[in-house]
Every structure is written in structure tokens, then in C-alpha cells.
Amino acid sequence: MIEFEFGLDTPAYVTVDESGRQLAGDVVIRNTVEEAVLADSVGIDSFNISEHYRPDFMDSAGHVILAAIAGRTERIRLGTAVTVLSTQDPVRVYAEFATLDAVSNGRAQLVVGRGSLTESFPLFGFDLTDYETLFEEKLDLLTRLLRDQPVTWSGTVRSPLTDQYVSPPLPEGHLPTWVGVGGSPRSVVRAARYGLPLMLAVIAGHPNRFVPFVELYRRSLEAFEDPPLPIGMHSLGFVAKTDEEAMDVQWPYWAEMMEDSARERGWARPTMDKFRAEITGGSLYVGSPETVATKLAAAVRLLGLSRFDLAYALGRVPHEQRMATIELYGREVIPRVRELLATG
């Protein structure tokens, strides 16, 4: 059993080579497999792929990539940074990840959420006005499939099930499933109501903004008479040999991604001052192994975390530099955080 899980998250960014030329999607997917194989070899606990349907991400079939990774690794957990359950069929999600659990010898896991981007709704024919109902009902069905088959279930978003078995069967305790939350107290309470661990997406601002969410989650578990459950956090970061190198590598790609988000969502445009502020006092884990480890250990203590996933190398960072940050995270950051936590 892993006492504290240190993971990596990625949407399989369409990256560039060292000359700045954009790579083809199939190359990106194969590179993602290689990054996961390296993560396994340097002692990282999990590798998790998100779900988007955009030309700059190659993660629309993460379960297939994870299955390829399973065949080349031995111990690393394999999961999703988020599965957009609202626009997925819970029966299909169960079948895919129970199968991944089998082929990986019990290493599959899930984070399910509503997703911060909504391109999957029109793509699969769902109405955004049903945003809340879709996730609520599908989470209800998925938890039943995970816990108590055969399942009898009915709702408004898909056909009912009557005494239905879905294969393959899961051994007890397999396929741990977390609820991803970005900023909704209602989602925090829902995770507690279903008795599922909580994964906080903390991508900007100081982690202390999420202390009330942690307190709400723990109070809600008590109210539902559930035992304490793990809490995790997902944040952006990049590790290099020195603080200066890490900032120099990550800055242009961070700025590019934030500029796109500013245009799409109406956010303020990125600046170097904002970048530095997120590193020094926010939720951007960019720096040397010692800098990142010290900041990470403080966040773990603050929120009482059981898991941290580094969403590594934001944007089109070349594969070689992505591999370098994975190696430093596994060989230097994680052992140092464990040491800091052990010594208090």
C-alpha cells in the first residue's frame, strides 16, 4: 500500500522538437508512453492522463495509452487526471478501466469530474443545461457498478439497468476512484456523500484558498457517517537543475497557454510578474528539486494531503525536457519531500 502517492498528470500536449517544429499527434502519443515508462523506472507512484477533445491535446483515448503503458511497466499506478464522466457512459468507463486493471495487474485508478472545458458536450450530443444532472446521475451509476453488482438503476440521462452484470469483475478494493473538484463546494459535498476520495485541482493562487474545502469535506464525511478518506491535489509544475533554468524553460510555454486561455475565457493576459508570483506565492511548482520539494511539503502539511499529482511541463515543452523534469521529480523531489514530511 502506498502511504503517500506522488503522481504525474498530463493531457499529452502536442509538443515541439528542440528546433521549435510541432510534432505529429502519433509521435506525441508514443512520447507520452516513453514518459510514463521513465516515470515507472524513477519511482513515481502514478501516471495519469486527462481527457480533452482539442487539437492541442492527444488524450481523447487515455485508456488506450494507459494500456500500452501497462505492457511496458511493472509497478506504477495508471489512471486518469480526469475522466469527464458527464459525457461518458459509466458502463463503458467501468468496462474500460476494469479491463485496464486486469491487464496492469491491479494498477488502474480513476479521477472523475465534470471537466473545466466543455467541448465534449456538443461532440457527443449533450446539452450544457444538463451539466449538473448528467454528472450526478452518472456518478451514482458508476459507484454502483464499482461496489455492488448486479446493478439495478434508473435515471433520466440513459437507459435503465435491471440486475445487470458488467464484465470484467473487479477484485475487492481495485480501481480506486476519486472525485475531481476545481472550486465548487457542492462538488466537495457530493464526493463525501458518495464516500469517494477528493482530488483538488489547484492551478492558481495559494493552496490555503482550499483549506475551507478540506474542512467542508471532512465535516461532510462525518455527517454522512463515513470514515476519513484521502485528499489529493493536482497542480502545475516543472523541475530543472536550478530555479533559473526551470523558469527559463517553462515561462514561454506557460505564457503561450495562458494567452490562449485569456482569449478563450476572458482571463487577464499573462505577464512575467504573474508567473513569478505564482511560483513564489501561488500554485506553480517551478524550480530546482529543493525549491519544489520545500514548497510541496508545505502544501501537503497545510491541506493534510495523501496524494499530489504534478501536472508537469505545461504546454509545448519538448519531449527531452519533459523527460528531464520527470527524472528530477522521481529521483530528487519525491525523496526530499518524504524526508521533509518525516522530519516535520
Side-chain angles (χ1 to χ4, degrees), residues 296-331:
L296 179 48
V300 169
R301 293 192 192 100
L302 174 68
L303 297 176
L305 301 177
S306 300
R307 173 179 174 182
F308 176 81
D309 287 355
L310 183 72
Y312 67 102
L314 177 73
R316 301 193 301 157
V317 177
H319 173 61
E320 292 75 13
Q321 291 171 323
R322 299 174 69 80
M323 295 286 273
T325 203
I326 289 169
E327 183 139 14
L328 287 170
Y329 180 61
R331 295 195 187 279

Side-chain angles (χ1 to χ4, degrees), residues 60-138:
S60 58
H63 62 289
V64 179
I65 303 174
L66 293 168
I69 295 166
R72 295 188 53 196
T73 56
E74 296 292 335
R75 46 158 297 280
I76 196 166
R77 290 182 180 272
L78 303 170
T80 57
V82 68
T83 292
V84 185
L85 190 60
S86 304
T87 54
Q88 291 270 19
D89 183 344
V91 174
R92 173 55 60 191
V93 171
Y94 172 89
E96 289 169 350
F97 283 87
T99 302
L100 175 65
D101 191 72
V103 300
S104 66
N105 195 23
R107 292 186 280 142
Q109 60 185 17
L110 281 169
V111 174
V112 297
R114 298 180 298 178
S116 62
L117 300 174
T118 58
E119 69 273 1
S120 63
F121 283 79
L123 182 63
F124 294 114
F126 292 99
D127 192 330
L128 271 171
T129 60
D130 298 326
Y131 188 76
E132 193 69 31
T133 301
L134 283 163
F135 187 69
E136 178 73 37
E137 291 194 9
K138 291 186 176 186

Side-chain angles (χ1 to χ4, degrees), residues 42-69:
V42 298
I44 296 168
D45 296 321
S46 69
F47 192 87
N48 310 284
I49 298 175
S50 52
E51 179 190 348
H52 299 87
Y53 300 89
R54 302 165 69 92
D56 46 343
F57 301 138
M58 292 293 107
D59 60 347
S60 58
H63 62 289
V64 179
I65 303 174
L66 293 168
I69 295 166

Side-chain angles (χ1 to χ4, degrees), residues 155-198:
T156 64
V157 298
R158 61 150 289 145
S159 56
L161 302 178
T162 303
D163 290 332
Q164 183 71 53
Y165 284 97
V166 180
S167 295
L170 276 170
E172 185 175 354
H174 282 226
L175 195 55
T177 299
W178 303 58
V179 173
V181 174
S184 166
R186 183 173 181 177
S187 295
V188 172
V189 174
R190 180 190 287 117
R193 177 157 48 87
Y194 282 98
L196 295 171
L198 181 70

